[in-house]
Amino acid sequence: MRKPFVAGNWKMNTDSISSVELVREITQGCRGLAGERVDVAVYPPFVYLAPAVKSMGSGNISVGGQDLYFEQKGAFTGEISAAMLKDIGCVRVLCGHSERRHVIGEGDELINKKVIAAINGGLLPTLCIGELLEQRQAGQTEEVVRRHLNKGLEGLCDERVLAVTIAYEPVWAIGTGLTATPQQAQEVHAFIRGLLGELYNDDVAAELRIQYGGSVKPANAAELMVQADVDGLLVGGASLKAADFIAIIEASAG
Ligand code: PGA
């Protein structure tokens, strides 16, 4: 049985005071749920990660980076390694978020190196995949998702891939208020699970969690989460309000 996994991607939001407050409110608000009935993570901006880890106290939520660089150390100005994230208490990291792919220009090969570096560094990566609006309209959703998944997981054996969470985030639904319908989400999630079965085996396909992301709110969380292959949610905008994020966590716990 896959435990629901709800995560908040704060993107380039919050400041030194509000980030700490948000972590405190979330930690308090989901006591008894987080870590037990649902796994909860937040991804604050790099500079607020260490304070976020500290302010979490004994709460059962995990903190992760929104990105990392694949090299271990050295002359890579502006970059952050897996070891640095781990050093300050991060457990998780996002790889290949659609804004990294489409705003910053990251490609599948780089994202694959990041996924591998995360696992080598003892972090749990979330590989984000998903099609653009024009790709969906051209009937290319499966082709895009297949490519993102195949390339993103390249070189990972059955055992190591178990560290990965997949986040399916249709780009047209991110930050637009346009959520995929539960049926649209389920269709692609089932397709992804099938691909995992082809790439690995039925056990891996049954074990890996696939989150949905794209305009998730308290009002649509439950209907997405009842879908057989939706195992969790990656939440952007609504994760910046503690009450909304907690409501989403509660809805996901069933
Ligand atoms: P959104 O972002 O919930 O604001 O659409 C989701 C994401 O980018 O992970």
Side-chain angles (χ1 to χ4, degrees):
M1 192 58 195
R2 298 179 293 270
K3 193 197 281 187
F5 173 26
V6 178
N9 173 13
W10 297 1
K11 310 191 180 185
M12 201 169 73
N13 292 298
T14 71
D15 58 27
S16 59
I17 295 173
S18 63
S19 56
V20 163
E21 269 171 15
L22 190 52
V23 170
R24 282 214 189 101
E25 282 171 18
I26 294 167
T27 309
Q28 278 163 16
C30 61
R31 233 174 250 293
L33 270 185
E36 308 206 358
R37 287 166 53 202
V38 47
D39 286 339
V40 178
V42 292
Y43 302 99
F46 282 138
V47 291
Y48 305 134
L49 285 171
V53 169
K54 282 205 187 89
S55 62
M56 199 174 70
S58 59
N60 254 338
I61 68 173
S62 56
V63 175
Q66 295 174 13
D67 186 34
L68 83 169
Y69 195 58
F70 64 87
E71 294 285 359
Q72 289 180 9
K73 62 175 180 164
F76 305 103
T77 301
E79 297 295 337
I80 300 285
S81 69
M84 290 172 181
L85 291 174
K86 185 106 178 131
D87 182 38
I88 56 156
C90 287
V91 177
R92 299 183 175 277
V93 66
L94 295 178
C95 297
H97 185 275
S98 86
E99 285 138 24
R100 304 286 324 163
R101 291 181 190 266
H102 302 295
V103 182
I104 315 288
E106 291 189 5
D108 286 312
E109 204 180 309
L110 175 61
I111 293 164
N112 174 243
K113 286 182 177 165
K114 292 184 175 194
V115 171
I116 290 172
I119 297 174
N120 288 345
L123 296 170
L124 301 170
T126 292
L127 171 64
C128 304
I129 65 178
E131 81 287 1
L132 296 162
L133 181 60
E134 56 266 34
Q135 292 169 325
R136 173 162 283 257
Q137 286 168 340
Q140 295 164 350
T141 299
E142 294 192 350
E143 184 187 325
V144 172
V145 162
R146 180 190 295 273
R147 189 182 69 237
H148 285 173
L149 197 73
N150 281 353
K151 299 220 165 146
L153 299 178
E154 206 170 285
L156 287 179
C157 65
D158 294 15
E159 203 182 305
R160 277 154 59 80
V161 79
L162 293 176
V164 178
T165 298
I166 306 297
Y168 169 60
E169 300 198 293
V171 181
W172 47 274
I174 296 179
T176 58
L178 278 179
T179 322
T181 63
Q183 293 69 31
Q184 283 174 321
Q186 168 58 23
E187 226 170 73
V188 182
H189 280 230
F191 176 71
I192 293 168
R193 204 170 304 284
L195 289 177
L196 290 169
E198 280 172 32
L199 277 175
Y200 294 95
N201 55 53
D202 289 349
D203 291 344
V204 167
E207 194 162 327
L208 281 205
R209 293 184 290 193
I210 309 172
Q211 294 178 312
Y212 168 80
S215 298
V216 173
K217 322 178 250 292
N220 60 21
E223 63 187 22
L224 287 160
M225 283 300 296
V226 295
Q227 303 303 313
D229 291 293
V230 177
D231 309 315
L233 302 166
L234 181 54
V235 188
S239 73
L240 294 168
K241 285 192 202 134
D244 284 359
F245 191 53
I246 291 162
I248 291 169
I249 294 165
E250 283 168 351
S252 305

